[in-house]
Amino acid sequence: KDAIAYHNRGVSREILGKCYEAISDFIKAIELQADRPTSYHGVGYCKSKLGDYEGAKIAFSKAIDLDPKYVSAYNNLGDAKSNLKDHYGAISDYTKAIELDPKDADVYYNRGNSKSSIKDYYGAISDYTKAIEINPQYGKAYNNRGLAKRKIGDDKGGCDDYKKAILLGNKQTEKWFQTNGADWCRYM
């Protein structure tokens, strides 16, 4: 019971933005019950928020060792690797998460971002498209698919995706659309 209490307090502290305190609670939960993958995940999540991506990788990997079907841990391990510019490693982790849960639009979106980072724009477009199929309201996926389409020379397709992202409330795309750099698309 004490391990659960420390874990739950860690979650509460993380929600409040108190990641150092949350990590202490998650570690105490692990000391009391070493086979708690969710507590390792909590450590990893907080370490990621603090910019300690190497530490996050270790924690997420331990969560996966304890629960090889922990989709969120694979996704977040991919995020940590992506932040460390290990995009191939990130793609591998996202792919494993997709194998375990093919209905998670965020994982396809994240894998698309990593593919785009290694200039696999066709692969990125495919992943963003899958994310949109799962969640048709995914404005960020439309925006990033638009970016990838432009990289392969499909300006019209990119522009259409930017406009859809704006319709869905994507503020980043909307802000860009008001700049001179978007003139080419605004009148398309």
Side-chain angles (χ1 to χ4, degrees):
K1 284 190 165 197
D2 289 339
I4 293 170
Y6 278 107
H7 176 84
N8 289 342
R9 187 170 75 175
V11 170
S12 296
R13 286 179 165 173
E14 182 274 314
I15 290 169
L16 294 171
K18 298 178 178 183
C19 276
Y20 290 108
E21 293 91 342
I23 289 170
S24 294
D25 284 337
F26 290 132
I27 289 171
K28 186 65 178 170
I30 291 165
E31 289 170 356
L32 293 169
Q33 185 182 349
D35 63 344
R36 291 189 57 78
T38 54
S39 293
Y40 283 101
H41 186 272
V43 169
Y45 189 79
C46 282
K47 285 187 178 273
S48 284
K49 286 179 91 170
L50 294 169
D52 178 6
Y53 302 115
E54 286 293 344
K57 270 179 36 180
I58 293 166
F60 292 133
S61 294
K62 183 62 178 175
I64 290 166
D65 287 344
L66 293 170
D67 181 358
K69 295 183 186 230
Y70 201 158
V71 174
S72 182
Y74 280 106
N75 183 48
N76 290 327
L77 178 58
D79 290 347
K81 288 179 180 178
S82 181
N83 280 304
L84 291 167
K85 309 298 184 216
D86 176 10
H87 298 293
Y88 291 98
I91 289 167
S92 176
D93 292 323
Y94 295 138
T95 299
K96 183 62 179 176
I98 289 167
E99 289 170 8
L100 294 169
D101 182 5
K103 300 282 187 211
D104 189 330
D106 290 332
V107 182
Y108 284 100
Y109 173 80
N110 292 339
R111 188 172 72 175
N113 289 341
S114 284
K115 286 181 178 179
S116 188
S117 292
I118 60 168
K119 299 181 181 3
D120 175 7
Y121 300 118
Y122 290 97
I125 290 166
S126 177
D127 281 343
Y128 297 136
T129 299
K130 186 65 179 175
I132 291 164
E133 287 172 7
I134 294 167
N135 178 4
Q137 304 301 308
Y138 208 153
K140 291 190 312 185
Y142 278 101
N143 178 73
N144 287 16
R145 187 175 72 176
L147 292 168
K149 284 181 176 179
R150 291 210 57 218
K151 292 287 188 179
I152 63 167
D154 181 5
D155 288 348
K156 169 110 175 61
C159 183
D160 290 345
D161 280 348
Y162 295 148
K163 289 177 179 177
K164 182 67 174 183
I166 291 167
L167 285 174
L168 293 171
N170 187 288
K171 299 297 182 198
Q172 173 189 353
T173 312
E174 186 176 354
K175 184 177 178 180
W176 166 80
F177 203 71
Q178 302 306 317
T179 68
N180 291 338
D183 284 347
W184 67 271
C185 179
R186 206 171 12 260
Y187 304 109
M188 191 177 268

